[in-house]
Amino acid sequence: IGGNVGNQSATITVRSLATGVLDNKTPYKHIVRELVIGLIIGGILALFVFLFTYLFNFPTIFSTIVSLTIIANITVATFLGASLPIIFKKLNIDPAVASAPFIATTLDIVGQIIYFCLTFYIVYLFL
């Protein structure tokens, strides 16, 4: 999910850069807007996943870990998707070419790290 959301956010950012809607003076506003959208999407998906797993009698701790991981992963994805094309443009690297592979690879790794860290932290605290 994170890779798809990150690539969509990167596509929006690259298009905004190409059309001139996003200039060098307002990148922070764009990144914050994408973060808010990521939190909303992550929250909605996490709610659905939590309810689904809870209704089918999965342990509550499992439902909580997976839901929090979804929120964190999608939020990080929107941040990377919105910020990396801007960074690549400042480094004179074509953001349309470099963003998607970098985001997909990074989010595969980061998603697993988020999941395992949350699992370790929650299990360590509550069990």
Side-chain angles (χ1 to χ4, degrees), residues 68-70 72-73 76 109-119:
L68 290 174
T69 300
I70 288 172
N73 195 11
V76 169
I109 296 166
V110 170
Q112 293 296 317
I113 291 171
I114 290 169
Y115 175 73
F116 288 125
C117 287
L118 277 172
T119 302

Side-chain angles (χ1 to χ4, degrees), residues 12-122:
I12 292 169
T13 304
V14 168
R15 184 179 185 285
S16 297
L17 288 168
T19 59
V21 172
L22 178 62
D23 57 3
N24 290 333
K25 298 175 186 171
T26 60
Y28 302 111
K29 202 160 80 171
H30 176 76
I31 293 170
V32 168
R33 184 178 61 114
E34 289 294 320
L35 276 173
V36 170
I37 291 169
L39 282 171
I40 292 169
I41 292 170
I44 291 169
L45 287 175
L47 179 65
F48 283 129
V49 168
F50 184 84
L51 291 174
F52 178 81
T53 56
Y54 188 76
L55 290 174
F56 284 98
N57 295 323
F58 283 89
T60 306
I61 195 162
F62 173 78
S63 302
T64 303
I65 290 169
V66 172
S67 298
L68 290 174
T69 300
I70 288 172
I71 292 171
N73 195 11
I74 290 177
T75 302
V76 169
T78 55
F79 175 74
L80 288 176
S83 61
L84 283 179
I86 295 168
I87 293 169
F88 286 148
K89 179 151 174 117
K90 287 184 187 260
L91 296 173
N92 293 323
I93 299 171
D94 186 7
V97 174
S99 296
F102 194 79
I103 290 168
T105 304
T106 304
L107 286 173
D108 287 344
I109 296 166
V110 170
Q112 293 296 317
I113 291 171
I114 290 169
Y115 175 73
F116 288 125
C117 287
L118 277 172
T119 302
F120 177 77
Y121 185 70
I122 290 174

